[in-house]
Amino acid sequence: MLQTIPTTPFSGQRPGTSGLRKKTRIFMQPHYVENFVQSVFDALREISGGDFKDKDLIVGGDGRYYNRVSIQTIVRMAAANGFRRVQVGRGGILSTPAMSAVIRRRGALGGLLLTASHNPGGIDCDFGIKYNISNGGPAPESLTELIYAHTRKLSRYLSLQSCDVDLDREGVVRVGDTEVRIFDPLADYTALMERIFDFDALRSWFHDGYRMVFDAMHGVTGPYAHHILEHCLGAPAGTVLRGQPLEDFGGLHPDPNQVHAADLVALLAGDSAPDLGAACDGDGDRNMILGRNFYVSPGDSLAVIAQQAAAIIPGYRSGLAGVARSMPTSTAVDRVARSLGIPSFETPTGWKFFGNLMDAGMCTLCGEESFGTGSDHVREKDGIWAVLCWLSILAASRQPLAAVVGDHWRRFGRSYYQRHDFEGLDANAAAGMMEELRRRLPLLVNQSLSGSTVSAADDFSYTDPVDGSVSAGQGIRILLADGSRIVCRLSGTGTEGATLRLYLEGYRRDGGYPIGDILDPLLRAGLDLLQMQARTGRTRATVIT
Ligand code: VG1
Ligand code: CO
C-alpha cells in the first residue's frame, strides 16, 4: 500500500565532495535517509519532467553498518516512487566502480550508493549516500545543489508497506508494481576488466612465480579481489588479505595509505616481501601501490600508467585522448601528456569533475593525489583497475616495481610530493585561516619564498570546457618560479570539525633525493603563510601521505 508520509527538513543535507557523509547515528534518525532519498527522486523528476515508469535504479554499498537497513528503505521508496525496476547487488554489495559499470552496462537512470568511502564504519563512525547519474559518475554539482534545495523544502516522502527483500538470494521479486532484481555484484565488473586487460599475460606473471598481496581492508573489494586475482588470474589463495567485508572494517580505517595500511607497508619492507603490494579503500575506488620496499605516490602511479597504457594494455591500444588530474595532484602526468602530445586537464578536487571530459571523449585517464586513479571505462576512480594496470606493467617489464618507477624518473624527472592533513580543527579557526591567506594572496606575487619566487597565487576556479559551468573557491595555490607548488584547501568529506589539507610539490630532474630535502622548506613556508600554529595551536599534521 502506497504511503505518503509527512516529514520536515533536516538541516545540513548538502552533498560534499562525494555524496552526503555524516555520523552513522545522524543517518539513523527517523526519516533522515528517507528525506535525502526522496529529495534525490524529486530532483530527478524536476530535471526530467517525467516519471520513473521506464527507469531502472541500481542500489548497493560497501557493506558497512546500516547498509542493509538503508537498502530496504530505498527499495520501498523506489517502488513507491514508481521505478520500473530496482537492481540490488547481492548482499547489498557493490563497489563504487562496479556501481558505475553496472549503471552503464544496464542502461539505468542512476544508482544510490551506500558508503562513506575510506571513513571508518560502525554505529559510532560514518555512513554516507551518494547518487550516480546515467553515465555512471557522481552527480555533478548542478544536481547535488538541486537535491540539497529539495532537502530544504521537503514535506513528505513516499514509501509503501512491504516485507524486507531477501538481499542474499539472486533473483527477481516484486515490491508493489516494481520488479526488484538481486544480481551478482561481481559479474559486470569482471567482464569489463576482461575486456580491458590481457588476462593471459597477467596469469602468466603469477604462473612464473611472481607474487603479490592485496589488502582489501575488510572493505568491499574483498570479493572482487578473491574472484579476479585468485580465481580468474590464478594467484595463490592467501594473496588477498582481509578479504571479507565487515560492517566495521574490523575496527580499522579502510583508507589505503602509508598510515592506515601500515601493516602492508611493513610486509613489503620485510625479507620475504612479494613483488607487488596493493590496497583499496572501503568502497573500492582508491588504491595504494607498493613495490618491494617502495611506495608509489599516486601522482607517479598516474604518470607511469599514462605513459605505458597504450603499449601494454589492450583496452588502451588506440592511445589516450587526453589525461586529467585534480588541481592539488602532482604535475607528473602533465609531463607525460606533453611527451605524448595529448592534452592534460586540471580540475577541482572530486571525481565528479572528470565526467564531462570523459563523456566528451577529451580524456581517457585521470587521477587524484588521494589514491584515486581511473579511466573512461567507468566514471569513478577504480582501485582494482589500478592494481590490474600495475600487474600489466610488471608482467610486461618483468622488472622490480622500483626499477620501473626509477626509469620513469630518469626520463621525466620527479615530482616530490606530500599531503599534510590537519584533522579535527575548529571549523571557524580553519575557515578564518583560509580566509586570511586568501586575502593576502595578491601581496605574495613576486615575493621570495622557500628559496624561490612566487610566480602566481590564487584561489583555483574551474570553468568546465564542456558545459561552461564555473566552480570557484576550489583551493588556494601558490606557484613558485622553480616549479614547486604549495596548495591548501578544506576537506569536503570529513564528518567532524574541519580538515585542512596542505599539499606540497617540488620538481627535480633527479629522482634520488630524500623527500624531506625537497619538501621540508615548502612545508615550513606553507605553515607560516597559514599561521597554523598561532591560529590552531598545531605544528604537525595528523596524517601525512
Ligand atoms: C577527498 C579527496 C578527494 C576525493 C574525495 C572522495 O576529498 O581529497 O580527492 O575525491 O575524498 O574520495 P576531500 O574534499 O575530503 O579532500 V572517496 O574514496 O572518499 O570517494
Ligand atoms: Co572511496
Side-chain angles (χ1 to χ4, degrees), residues 21 96 115-118 281-286 381:
R21 236 174 252 190
T96 289
T115 174
S117 189
H118 55 287
D281 71 333
D283 64 328
D285 55 359
R286 296 184 177 209
K381 52 191 185 266

Side-chain angles (χ1 to χ4, degrees), residues 165-240:
V165 171
D166 182 352
L167 297 177
D168 298 306
R169 179 157 353 130
E170 275 177 48
V172 174
V173 294
R174 294 203 86 80
V175 173
D177 293 331
T178 298
E179 177 186 314
V180 177
R181 184 176 293 178
I182 309 296
F183 68 96
D184 174 5
L186 309 179
D188 299 61
Y189 183 78
T190 307
L192 184 55
M193 293 303 110
E194 278 176 319
R195 259 212 332 267
I196 298 173
F197 295 97
D198 180 350
F199 270 32
D200 287 336
L202 306 188
R203 253 190 299 268
S204 77
W205 187 79
F206 285 114
H207 184 259
D208 292 347
Y210 293 99
R211 288 183 301 130
M212 80 168 289
V213 285
F214 177 88
D215 187 351
M217 305 189 87
H218 289 306
V220 76
T221 53
Y224 294 88
H226 277 303
H227 182 64
I228 293 175
L229 299 175
E230 294 176 355
H231 179 76
C232 302
L233 297 179
T239 296
V240 178

